Amino acid sequence: MPSWSKWGKKSKAKGDSSVASGSTAQSDGASSQQNGGPSRPPPGTARGTSTGSGGGLFTRVNQGPGAFSVGGGSAVGGGGDGGPQTAVFRVTVPENVQPGQEFQVYAGNRIVRVRCPMDSRSGQSLQITVPVDPEEGRGGGPGGGPGGGDLPPDSPNVQRLDGQAGPDGRPAYMVTIPPGVRGGQQFPVTIAGQQLMVTCPPNARPGMSVRIVPPPPPPGMQQGTQLDRPPGAGGAGGAGRPRPRPNKPPEGTQMFEVVVPRGVQPGQPFALLAGGVRVLVTCPTNASSGQKIRFNLPNTLLQKKDTEVSKAAKVKLSYDKDGWTRTVRVTDLKFQWVRMDDKGDIDSSTRFDIKHSAYVRHMVFQEGIDPRMRAGKLSLVPANDPRAVVDSHIKALDNRTDLVTYGDIAAAQVKSFPDKVKWFQGTCAELCVEWNEGHMRMNVRRDYLLSDSMEAVMSLSRKDLRKVWRFEFIGEMGIDAGGLAREWFQLVTEEIFDPERGLWQSSATNQMCMTINPASEIACPEDHLIYFRFLGRVMGKALFDRQLVAGHMVKHLYKHILGWPVNFGDLETIDEDYYSNLKKLSEMDTEMIEYCCLNFSTTEETMGDKREVLLVPGGDEIDVDQDNLPEYLEACLKYKMIGQVRAQLNELLLGFFDVIPEPLLTIFDFQELELLMCGLPEIDLEDWMANTEYSGEYDRVGADHETCRWFWEVIEKFDHEMRARLLQFVTGTSGVPPRGFGTLQGNDGNIRRFTIHGVELGVCLYPRAHTCFNRIDLPMYESKKELEEKLELAVTMVATGFDIE
């Protein structure tokens, strides 16, 4: 048998231990370096003869915090292609290795050489990035084992001998001697990922074959742990399989003929149900009321007979009474809000009405100075404003074909909540950048979690935000198989929602909910807006990656994310006193209004410092009277809903929509969005019942009253979703206090337990909620069935936009 010696392909890791926060950890390239003779092995590796020439492959030790692009050739923030692919490994500094010394490890199936950074020591973990040879991908593992997907191919003059092995069971190979090699000379070969030097026997000549058995890996050499594995991959170096893109079938149309309703003028819109879908039709300019007109709708938009419709959707489709509803505009198939009056017609009034008017946020996206981040302009417009529409198409990753159309969204809107979630998550998976096109390493220090995370996330492009993220807590041994990601989302959102940071504060009406602090600039004068953009990206990424957010927000913020209407009643959940005073003002006569001496301005107090804020331009010179009272109430509503925190909310929404396409959210209501972002709560029904108080008609008998017994029997039949919705209905949030229902708080910060207040059936037909003090007004129904129907309807209708009273 010929003699041989091992020749390792050396990948030298530089000892740069400090990487700027948010910078890119890039390989320094493959520097072709000639090794003139045998190299001295570093401490911690087996000594062997190493001769000949080899490519010196240089990499960097990733120790600093930041976001690092791995594979796909994408630079951080660039989203480009064509660069070298890389693999990330964790290795441990061997014993007796001093700072600045080198040691060898296996990175996948290749031997690499790592220089210990100057601030590291034996036993400490390092993270190294190794450029992947583009020709690698075939062959076996170290010592002839199965390949891991990043092995160099065997040399062309090597052939494995099936059924033959050495004394220790290792496979044998036949190697053909290359031209020009004489007896006693060495020549290199690559076998099963190892690069060896074979000595030609004295009696052999070029063209002859010799039999060899490759050696095992050098004793004592550690195997690096690959950190960057595609989702679902079992072994190191595996690659995510490209997802098949759905081919959308050609879309046919169906013609409908309708009669223009009485009172509709040419050019005026009207709504109707067509094929189970509420659509918005504009009367042609050459038609008038009483005439027949025709229009076409795509077949994919029409509700299929076998589609399972949720309870809430059935209510929306059948309850044609006073309220706001989202329709599909026939002209461009975009979603627009309209208000149906008590006759089922569209209310086109434009002046503010305290009972019926509603507004939606309108975001105009703009190109930002930094190409990684868009700019935007946020405003609050009437809910039926033609500008306040949402597209019904979502482009696939190729930005050419439609991944989602109006038909897909219309079908998803009527599904049950679990089915909506399943469809939403499946669509997000289709929008996720392929693993082979690149993924992100997110390195953070636990002691500087928020600042490191903010720097890393804000360095990313919108494409990077839709890549797979793998997390690393610097100096810790954990490998991110999903647990580190969950921990990161939990810790980051807990910290940023912490009122002590000054960015958010507890709601004045619900201590379980957080609202934006209007004075956040005082807490973080230089970068408070950056943190809101950061949080928006984190919340969007959490939804995109099926993670949860550790913070419940006030109701109107969920509505703003969805683009849902906000109305005067929403003021009560923000500031109960402010709402009550405005409501009293709306009921005053002319003399009393003028006696209040109000103008179109308000006073804002921050840490004892008072300043005047104009609700409209020149508002300090406009007195409030009976004639302009509606405009004053409208200005107050806009100020509280958006004006007071416009800059912060603008950044929050921009960050959120950097990740989530807005059309995807049209399938949810604001209750469902909270459940999706924060998760279904674990509700202990016995604790709930034990910490419930009874008042009104139920004060004397309490839980033993027949109606109250029916109530709890109905709740016991509810699934987790309906119980969470009931909790939202009564308390304003699905959150349960950490110490149980016994610590439920009201708007004054004091304990306000869940309360069932008994009222006569003539007082109200449906249960009513008072979220400020966690009370439900429950009429004394005559049967359990009637109670169940009315309760389900009340809980469901709060998220439909209809007024059941």
Side-chain angles (χ1 to χ4, degrees), residues 407-434:
D408 300 322
I409 294 176
Q413 285 175 336
V414 298
K415 293 178 181 290
S416 64
F417 177 63
D419 288 338
K420 286 182 181 180
V421 173
K422 184 177 179 181
W423 181 86
F424 174 84
Q425 293 175 341
T427 306
C428 287
E430 293 288 345
L431 290 169
C432 183
V433 176
E434 296 285 355

Side-chain angles (χ1 to χ4, degrees), residues 609-805:
D609 182 28
K610 295 182 179 181
R611 67 184 184 95
E612 185 180 40
V613 178
L614 303 184
L615 299 177
V616 298
D620 55 339
E621 298 179 356
I622 305 175
D623 294 329
V624 177
D625 54 32
Q626 187 70 49
D627 293 335
N628 62 19
L629 179 60
E631 285 70 31
Y632 175 74
L633 297 175
E634 178 185 32
C636 291
L637 173 63
K638 287 184 175 182
Y639 174 70
K640 281 291 187 180
M641 286 295 167
I642 276 188
Q644 198 172 18
V645 292
R646 186 189 306 273
Q648 297 95 320
L649 182 58
N650 187 70
E651 294 300 315
L652 184 76
L653 295 176
L654 284 173
F656 190 89
F657 293 126
D658 279 344
V659 188
I660 302 293
E662 189 175 4
L664 271 187
L665 298 175
T666 58
I667 69 172
F668 297 113
D669 60 48
F670 62 87
Q671 289 181 330
E672 291 170 334
L673 181 61
E674 182 185 15
L675 297 178
L676 184 64
M677 292 179 66
C678 303
L680 284 171
E682 291 293 333
I683 297 177
D684 186 335
L685 189 58
E686 292 185 1
D687 178 55
W688 192 355
M689 295 173 64
N691 289 285
T692 295
E693 296 179 351
Y694 302 86
S695 61
E697 297 294 333
Y698 306 139
D699 184 31
R700 293 179 121 187
V701 182
D704 292 330
H705 194 284
E706 185 178 42
T707 306
C708 295
R709 289 202 310 269
W710 290 342
F711 175 84
W712 292 115
E713 289 172 4
V714 169
I715 304 307
E716 193 171 4
K717 289 173 55 180
F718 278 177
D719 58 18
H720 289 301
E721 179 197 343
M722 282 300 295
R723 289 181 185 178
R725 282 182 178 269
L726 174 62
L727 199 57
Q728 289 174 317
F729 176 67
V730 180
T731 69
T733 178
S734 63
V736 177
R739 290 182 292 168
F741 284 91
T743 58
L744 199 62
Q745 293 181 327
N747 62 341
D748 55 1
N750 296 321
I751 300 298
R752 292 274 188 173
R753 294 188 176 183
F754 187 88
T755 302
I756 301 177
H757 182 76
V759 296
E760 295 286 347
L761 193 57
V763 174
C764 59
L765 296 177
Y766 297 88
R768 294 184 306 196
H770 302 273
T771 58
C772 296
F773 33 92
N774 307 322
R775 192 184 90 188
I776 181 173
D777 292 348
L778 185 67
M780 294 188 293
Y781 294 109
E782 296 180 355
S783 69
K784 177 181 172 182
K785 182 179 180 181
E786 184 183 10
L787 184 149
E788 182 175 5
E789 290 177 351
K790 293 294 194 296
L791 181 62
E792 286 186 351
L793 188 62
V795 171
T796 303
M797 293 295 284
V798 73
T800 64
F802 287 104
D803 178 10
I804 59 176
E805 293 295 339

